[in-house]
């Protein structure tokens, strides 16, 4: 009887749940991977700035306080939804230099040259961050460029006290950074590593930010900063020219939209694969009663993995820069296509990835990127993911300018059939071409309920980003978890190739894993943690802003 009554009630978890509770604030909230950056955003909001003003200031502050992924020398995607209903994606993904070509990273024999696309000057794509932030501010912000740059300039000039997390991160990057004298000098203090609690000042970066304040964002692409970047390229054999910088443009794109169990989903289109894959998986999974299966049960994980496998196989086959190849976005995100895929899932057996398409299993690895989310008092929302690709990118710091450059060229297909540093297989749609954008997995996403913003989120983690965002959405919508718990819950990942399930330490019980093995699933040898979600919900009943930072890393939501 009791069971029947409970089943009839709307699904509501108890308020105090395992995994913690979100931070609450009445007006505005910033969730980012560094408390100082979150505070910078809130300061801007309190001074009357909107979510976009705050987002630009947070992005610039992260470039100072979180140099592994926060950046001036990288790129990303900003998903904006204004309170009046306008929604937009600012695509500031990096671009291949004009001199790049399909065989840039293969030798005469046609073999991929180790590290060529991941370390050093030749791995660097034309940075988009400054152009993207400037475009977002110009179209949707209210404050001046100088005003949103100032907090970052101050942090670089006056220095920040290094957290344990950041000091350890710098030490862990020593092997990469010590290969480049300027990086070694700035980030490793010439081998006398920074310790937690020490003041980390970045005078060259402060100077670069001062130039940006004084001359505006084009300075990065046409001024002294551009000249220094190109001098660095010339000294180290990189490909980027002044012309590449001068002609770089951030692009405004239409968000992808769908619904999932009545909730509206807004997410990013190509050249990220994230939105397409997320929608494909949501459509497949909508046909099952996930809640009835039980969170992280064998049946649930089986279905997740089968959806992931299919979406990632399509990613590998079809996706690339839409400005260069025709991408079947409509087909991949159609419900009828998802129905067809759903019918190929066998509840009792794992579908071997090789049966979906030919391919090879290879190593899997993840590094660094960062996501932050901002909600202001008006209800404007920004979800922004940006990156240098690997932790500290290519390892190259622009001499005299104090910022690191990305290794985003590795997100292209160096050679079809050979996986990149994330073990991702990709097709010709993502081959290197001059001025093309490499395929991304970044997935900043906003969920609406009854036409009103409900929650927004995103994560780093290379290919795991997409599956991380998927699982947090399911945790909220299907399982009714509070936002913090939804973010904390153990996650799984499958990316078609290699044909194996990545899981987190203590994330799945042995029984569950045995049950999945019996259906033919294979697990990675060593579990590892994935993602660093930064999410904000607008509580439907109260309008309160609820912030959630992933316990896997060091972030903190700050609200007011
Ligand atoms: O755009 C992409 O998909 C990758 N460059 C993201 C890299 C990443 O997330 C590394 N993170 N942990």
């Amino acid at each position: 009887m009791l069971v029947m009554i409970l089943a009839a009630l709307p699904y509501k978890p108890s308020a105090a749940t395992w995994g913690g509770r979100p931070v609450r604030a009445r007006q505005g909230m910033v969730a980012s991977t560094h408390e100082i950056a979150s505070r910078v955003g809130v300061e801007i909001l309190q001074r009357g700035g909107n979510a976009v003003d705050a987002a630009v200031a947070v992005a610039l502050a992260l470039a100072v306080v979180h140099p592994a992924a926060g950046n001036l020398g990288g790129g990303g995607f900003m998903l904006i939804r204004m309170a009046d209903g306008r929604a937009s994606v600012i695509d500031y993904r990096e671009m291949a230099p004009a001199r790049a070509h399909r065989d840039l990273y293969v030798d005469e024999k046609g073999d991929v040259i180790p590290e060529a696309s991941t370390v050093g000057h030749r791995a660097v794509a034309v940075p988009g961050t400054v152009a993207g932030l400037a475009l977002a501010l110009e179209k949707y912000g209210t404050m001046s460029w100088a005003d949103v740059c100032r907090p970052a300039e101050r942090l670089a000039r006056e220095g920040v006290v290094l957290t344990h997390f950041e000091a350890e991160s710098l030490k862990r990057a020593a092997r990469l950074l010590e290969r480049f004298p300027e990086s070694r000098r700035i980030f490793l203090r010439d081998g006398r590593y920074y310790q937690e609690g020490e003041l980390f000042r970045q005078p060259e970066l402060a100077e670069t930010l001062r130039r940006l304040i004084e001359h505006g964002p084009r300075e990065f692409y046409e001024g002294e900063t551009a000249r220094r970047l190109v001098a660095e390229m010339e000294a180290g054999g990189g490909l980027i020219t002044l012309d590449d910088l001068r002609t770089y443009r951030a692009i405004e794109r239409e968000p992808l939209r769908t619904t999932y169990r009545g909730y509206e989903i807004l997410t990013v289109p190509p050249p990220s694969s994230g939105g397409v894959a997320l929608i494909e998986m949501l459509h497949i999974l909508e046909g099952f009663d996930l809640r009835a299966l039980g969170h992280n049960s064998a049946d649930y994980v089986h279905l997740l993995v089968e959806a992931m496998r299919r979406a990632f196989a399509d990613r590998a086959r079809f996706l690339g820069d839409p400005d260069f190849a025709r991408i079947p976005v409509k087909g991949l995100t159609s419900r009828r296509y998802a129905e067809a895929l759903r019918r190929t899932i066998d509840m009792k057996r794992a579908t071997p990835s090789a049966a979906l398409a030919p391919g090879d299993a290879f190593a899997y690895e993840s590094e660094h990127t960062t996501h932050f989310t901002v909600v202001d008092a008006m209800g404007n929302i920004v979800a922004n993911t940006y990156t240098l690709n690997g932790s500290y990118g290519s390892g190259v710091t622009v001499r005299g300018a104090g910022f690191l450059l990305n290794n985003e060229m590795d997100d292209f297909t160096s050679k079809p059939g050979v996986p990149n540093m994330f073990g991702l297989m990709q097709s010709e749609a993502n081959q290197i071409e001059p001025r093309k954008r490499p395929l991304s997995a970044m997935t900043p996403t906003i969920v609406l309920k009854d036409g009103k913003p409900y929650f927004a989120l995103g994560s780093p983690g290379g290919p795991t980003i997409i599956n991380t965002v998927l699982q947090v959405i399911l945790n909220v919508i299907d399982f009714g978890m509070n936002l913090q718990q939804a973010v904390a819950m153990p996650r799984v990942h499958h990316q078609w190739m290699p044909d194996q399930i990545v899981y987190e330490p203590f994330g799945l019980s042995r029984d569950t894993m045995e049950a999945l093995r019996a259906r033919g699933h294979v697990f990675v040898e060593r579990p590892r943690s994935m993602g660093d979600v930064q999410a904000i919900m607008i509580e439907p009943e109260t309008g309160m802003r609820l912030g959630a930072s992933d316990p896997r890393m060091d972030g903190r939501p700050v609200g007011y």
Side-chain angles (χ1 to χ4, degrees), residues 196-464:
E196 68 177 299
E198 286 192 317
L199 193 65
F200 179 45
R201 295 180 63 244
Q202 301 176 72
E204 292 88 356
L205 179 56
E207 259 315 284
T208 296
L209 289 162
R210 193 196 53 75
R211 282 195 302 276
L212 288 177
I213 290 172
E214 200 165 307
H215 304 293
R218 292 306 301 163
E219 199 281 334
F220 187 90
Y221 296 94
E222 292 172 31
E224 180 59 25
T225 306
R227 285 190 287 280
R228 289 188 191 187
L229 199 159
V230 170
E232 181 64 49
M233 286 289 118
E234 283 167 0
L239 301 182
I240 299 172
T241 61
L242 278 174
D243 191 54
D244 287 324
L245 289 171
R246 199 171 40 76
T247 52
Y248 180 86
R249 290 286 178 274
I251 301 174
E252 208 179 351
R253 298 189 190 272
E254 275 292 313
L256 296 181
R257 293 167 193 267
T258 192
T259 59
Y260 175 72
R261 301 199 201 281
Y263 294 83
E264 194 183 340
I265 312 282
L266 291 187
T267 187
V268 290
S272 181
S273 61
V276 173
L278 176 68
I279 290 175
E280 194 175 326
M281 293 190 289
L282 287 171
H283 286 170
I284 294 173
L285 293 169
E286 202 175 21
F288 299 93
D289 185 352
L290 299 181
R291 204 178 109 205
L293 299 178
H295 188 265
N296 279 8
S297 65
D299 280 341
Y300 177 66
V301 173
H302 177 78
L303 274 179
L304 280 185
V305 165
E306 293 307 315
M308 291 169 181
R309 181 197 315 281
R310 284 160 178 77
F312 273 81
D314 284 341
R315 175 199 198 276
R317 236 176 281 157
F318 296 116
L319 297 185
D321 184 344
D323 296 345
F324 282 74
R326 226 179 64 79
I327 314 289
V329 173
K330 281 225 163 64
L332 293 171
T333 58
S334 83
R335 285 201 145 75
R336 277 194 25 237
Y337 180 62
E339 275 161 31
L341 289 179
R342 202 183 296 139
R343 281 196 295 273
T344 68
I345 296 177
D346 176 348
M347 269 323 274
K348 298 269 165 285
R349 274 324 283 172
T351 309
S353 284
L356 287 176
D360 237 333
F362 269 92
Y364 176 87
E365 199 184 326
S366 169
E367 280 295 325
H368 236 95
T369 290
T370 193
H371 177 86
F372 62 84
T373 301
V374 184
V375 173
D376 67 19
M378 282 81 75
N380 302 309
I381 300 187
V382 174
N384 185 90
T385 315
Y386 75 149
T387 189
L388 291 166
N389 194 21
S391 245
Y392 304 93
S394 62
V396 176
T397 301
V398 176
R399 207 154 314 170
F403 63 89
L404 283 155
L405 293 167
N406 66 81
N407 56 349
E408 218 72 65
M409 291 297 284
D410 188 63
D411 276 351
F412 280 116
T413 315
S414 288
K415 183 183 174 185
V418 178
N420 73 356
M421 69 186 241
F422 298 110
L424 283 171
M425 306 274 284
Q426 331 213 42
S427 74
E428 295 184 1
N430 189 33
Q431 276 195 333
I432 305 173
E433 290 177 61
R435 308 231 150 127
K436 183 171 170 180
R437 284 154 145 89
L439 186 60
S440 172
M442 290 184 272
T443 316
T445 296
I446 298 174
V447 179
L448 296 100
K449 189 181 187 181
D450 306 325
K452 291 204 207 85
Y454 183 30
F455 64 102
L457 75 165
S459 175
T464 67

Side-chain angles (χ1 to χ4, degrees), residues 10 28 34-35 39 53 67 77 80 110-111 118 159 301 341 440 524 543 560:
H34 199 300
E35 184 173 355
R39 288 196 185 285
D53 300 320
F77 296 88
I80 300 171
D111 294 330
T118 56
V301 173
L341 289 179
S440 172
V524 287
Y560 77 107

Side-chain angles (χ1 to χ4, degrees), residues 3 15 40 50 57 119 163 268 371 425 433 446 465 552 557:
V3 174
V40 162
N50 71 8
V119 179
T163 60
V268 290
H371 177 86
M425 306 274 284
E433 290 177 61
I446 298 174
I465 292 172
R552 290 164 181 78

